[in-house]
């Protein structure tokens, strides 16, 4: 008998987790809460919401789940790991204290400053008037961030003072993000190119995944509003071996030591959002979970079993963790509901997913889908993650878009330039 695994979440990242975890010879049963129709191919979906902490605890206890893997940040920040750990269960994902690395920008930035980790210079404010006064003296562009979780919408890179003040008012006075706006961070705008760097850690040692890059804006050529991520690819050529060595030495090593000095043993996934300027990496943000959609192209490159690493993180003992990575690049094109990240229509039947998956090297991960009268329909903003591997990035991109062309629903939207930035660097 293998172990039982419970995956928390129901998006594209969690589909990629379920797809990968269900392949493990160590695993005999996979549950997902709440899951989605794609996840249902690899796991038994349980109708429990990710914020139903008590329901999740009861379920995990009743099934004596051997390993819980938490996809999104909100249950981590709310203390799901603490609850399950108290019941003697293993969880890959930090406790509430560790989750502050994502749950509070003030906490995260203060730790970075204290332990000398390169990041944008910043100031913290609790009073609107003081924040406004400071903002007006700051060089443009200026970055304003709500302290708490705001579903990726809590940041403005303001090009003008009017923009900065409007956002500050939204956050601190109108409280559009609720208590997340009790404090703000105002920081300098860093130039450079962004990349994602994700590691498994037991709080002491860490094992990195390859680099990746997300595409946060809705429109081609990085235009329009921010989204949860419209596509990703791996590796990101901006993360050269030299940059990678610096990321280990200047960011992850001092950070883990610093967290331990603060009494925090971080067991789970730590994701650094980096800005890289002429070979110098600086931290934009930390997440305490896998990236979505970065997990999709990353897991497609992971040849070895994911489960031993997840278990070792949860147990706090990363030992002989070897990862075998496919050297070939991967890309994930997110297909979204037209109108996202604003309003959009749901319930439209989706055609062609099976056809798309006949394309060699392609896996279609479900994100915002549901079943309606035996048909898969769009249900969320980000709907599918069409993910492909190729001998070159150019091949991977071509395959992913050939697959995308086979998928149809009314109002479907996708960016047409995922991965292009890496090609123009001459790494295709
Ligand atoms: P965050 O949630 O902190 O990652 O911010 C969301 C996005 O805002 C990032 O992915 C960047 O594109 C941008 N951003 C955040 N902080 C900065 C900064 N200090 N300088 C430039 N861009 C930033
Ligand atoms: N793709 C960005 C994130 O997962 O936060």
């Amino acid at each position: 008998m293998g172990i039982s695994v419970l995956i928390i979440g129901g998006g594209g990242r969690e589909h990629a987790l379920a797809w990968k975890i269900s392949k493990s010879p160590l695993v005999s049963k996979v549950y997902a809460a709440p899951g989605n129709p794609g996840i249902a191919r690899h796991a038994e979906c349980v109708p429990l919401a990710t914020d139903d902490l008590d329901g999740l605890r009861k379920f995990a206890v009743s099934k004596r789940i051997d390993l819980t893997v938490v996809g999104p940040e909100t249950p981590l920040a709310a203390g799901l790991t603490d609850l399950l750990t108290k019941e003697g269960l293993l969880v890959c994902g930090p406790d509430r204290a560790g989750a502050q690395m994502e749950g509070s920008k003030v906490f995260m930035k203060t730790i970075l400053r204290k332990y000398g980790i390169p990041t944008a210079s910043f100031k913290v404010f609790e009073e609107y008037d003081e924040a406004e006064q400071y903002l007006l003296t700051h060089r443009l562009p200026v970055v304003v961030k709500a302290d708490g979780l705001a579903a990726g919408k809590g940041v403005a890179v303001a090009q003008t003072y009017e923009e900065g003040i409007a956002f500050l008012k939204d956050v601190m006075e109108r409280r559009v993000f609720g208590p997340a706006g009790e404090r703000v961070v105002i920081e300098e705008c860093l130039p450079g190119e962004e990349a994602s760097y994700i590691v498994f850690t037991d709080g002491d040692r860490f094992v990195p995944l390859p680099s990746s890059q997300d595409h946060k804006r809705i429109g081609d050529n990085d235009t329009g509003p921010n989204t949860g991520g419209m596509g990703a690819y791996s590796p990101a050529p901006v993360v050269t071996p030299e940059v990678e060595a610096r990321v280990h030495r200047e960011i992850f090593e001092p950070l883990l030591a610093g967290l331990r000095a603060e009494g925090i043993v971080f067991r789970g996934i730590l994701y650094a959002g980096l800005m890289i300027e002429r070979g110098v990496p600086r931290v934009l943000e930390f997440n305490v979970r896998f990236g979505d959609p970065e997990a999709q192209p990353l897991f497609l490159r992971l040849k070895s079993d994911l489960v031993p690493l997840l278990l070792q993180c949860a147990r706090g003992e990363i030992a002989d963790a070897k990862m075998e990575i496919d050297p070939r690049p991967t890309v994930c094109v997110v297909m979204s509901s037209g109108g996202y990240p604003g309003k959009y229509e749901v319930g439209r039947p989706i055609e062609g997913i099976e056809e798309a998956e006949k394309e060699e090297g392609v896996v279609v991960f479900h994100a915002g889908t549901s079943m309606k009268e035996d048909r898969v329909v769009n249900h969320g903003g980000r709907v599918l993650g069409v993910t492909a591997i190729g001998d070159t990035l150019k091949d991977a991109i071509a395959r992913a878009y050939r697959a995308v062309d086979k998928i149809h629903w009314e109002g479907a939207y996708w960016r047409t330039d995922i991965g292009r930035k890496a090609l123009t660097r001459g790494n295709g």
Side-chain angles (χ1 to χ4, degrees), residues 192-342:
E193 184 173 342
E194 284 185 57
S196 305
Y197 199 81
I198 300 171
V199 310
F200 299 84
T201 180
D202 60 5
D204 181 14
R205 274 161 296 187
F206 65 92
V207 178
L209 279 161
S211 63
S212 55
Q213 193 173 58
D214 187 10
H215 297 61
K216 290 211 168 105
R217 306 296 197 100
I218 187 73
D220 282 3
N221 303 313
D222 297 329
T223 53
N226 264 320
T227 70
M230 293 303 293
Y233 63 92
S234 173
V238 65
V239 183
T240 60
E242 293 74 27
V243 168
E244 190 158 19
R246 289 185 72 153
V247 170
H248 292 187
R249 204 172 55 239
E250 296 170 17
I251 297 172
F252 281 99
E253 286 168 18
L255 175 65
L256 291 172
L259 286 173
R260 284 199 307 278
E262 301 290 324
I264 293 174
V265 180
F266 192 104
R267 294 177 175 176
I269 310 305
L270 199 46
Y271 159 147
L274 302 171
M275 188 67 97
I276 297 151
E277 184 201 16
R278 284 187 256 119
V280 179
R282 295 188 186 88
V283 174
L284 289 178
E285 63 163 340
F286 272 102
N287 297 318
V288 298
R289 47 163 179 87
F290 292 109
D292 188 349
E294 290 95 321
Q296 292 84 313
L298 285 170
F299 294 163
L300 202 59
R301 292 187 66 200
L302 182 57
K303 289 167 92 171
S304 47
D305 193 350
L306 176 63
V307 173
L309 264 171
L310 298 171
L311 275 171
Q312 288 179 21
C313 289
R315 289 196 181 114
E317 47 175 41
I318 287 186
D320 55 338
K322 280 191 283 297
M323 239 191 308
E324 204 193 329
I325 301 291
D326 197 316
R328 292 176 297 164
T330 50
V331 61
C332 169
V333 178
V334 170
M335 299 181 75
S336 65
S337 300
Y340 171 78

Side-chain angles (χ1 to χ4, degrees), residues 19-64:
W19 172 81
K20 187 67 190 161
I21 288 171
S22 66
K23 290 178 195 284
S24 170
L26 301 173
V27 172
S28 54
K29 180 78 190 173
V30 186
Y31 297 96
N36 68 35
I39 293 173
R41 303 208 297 254
H42 316 285
E44 181 178 331
C45 295
V46 190
L48 287 168
T50 57
D51 61 359
D52 179 5
L53 298 201
D54 202 49
L56 293 169
R57 180 187 61 80
K58 284 187 184 131
F59 178 80
V61 169
S62 73
K63 296 287 182 195
R64 279 190 234 106

Side-chain angles (χ1 to χ4, degrees), residues 103-261:
S104 167
K105 306 243 187 228
V106 173
F107 175 87
M108 181 267 290
K109 295 287 291 191
T110 307
I111 292 275
L112 297 193
R113 179 186 275 160
K114 185 164 173 188
Y115 295 98
I117 296 159
T119 190
S121 66
F122 71 101
K123 260 176 115 77
V124 176
F125 296 92
E126 294 182 6
E127 302 295 335
Y128 175 81
D129 290 341
E130 286 170 30
E132 186 193 272
Q133 222 170 36
Y134 177 74
L135 185 106
L136 289 171
T137 63
H138 201 289
R139 186 156 44 96
L140 291 172
V142 56
V143 182
V144 182
K145 301 184 171 183
D147 175 45
L149 292 179
K153 296 193 179 117
V155 175
V157 181
Q159 303 296 334
T160 64
Y161 292 117
E162 290 70 29
E163 231 180 281
I165 285 174
F167 187 72
L168 198 59
K169 284 202 165 118
D170 278 351
V171 174
M172 296 193 91
E173 292 196 331
R174 294 181 48 220
R175 287 288 168 91
V176 295
F177 307 119
E182 273 166 22
R183 294 186 291 178
V184 296
V185 171
I186 298 183
E187 66 179 36
E188 67 174 321
C189 183
L190 296 176
E193 184 173 342
E194 284 185 57
S196 305
Y197 199 81
I198 300 171
V199 310
F200 299 84
T201 180
D202 60 5
D204 181 14
R205 274 161 296 187
F206 65 92
V207 178
L209 279 161
S211 63
S212 55
Q213 193 173 58
D214 187 10
H215 297 61
K216 290 211 168 105
R217 306 296 197 100
I218 187 73
D220 282 3
N221 303 313
D222 297 329
T223 53
N226 264 320
T227 70
M230 293 303 293
Y233 63 92
S234 173
V238 65
V239 183
T240 60
E242 293 74 27
V243 168
E244 190 158 19
R246 289 185 72 153
V247 170
H248 292 187
R249 204 172 55 239
E250 296 170 17
I251 297 172
F252 281 99
E253 286 168 18
L255 175 65
L256 291 172
L259 286 173
R260 284 199 307 278

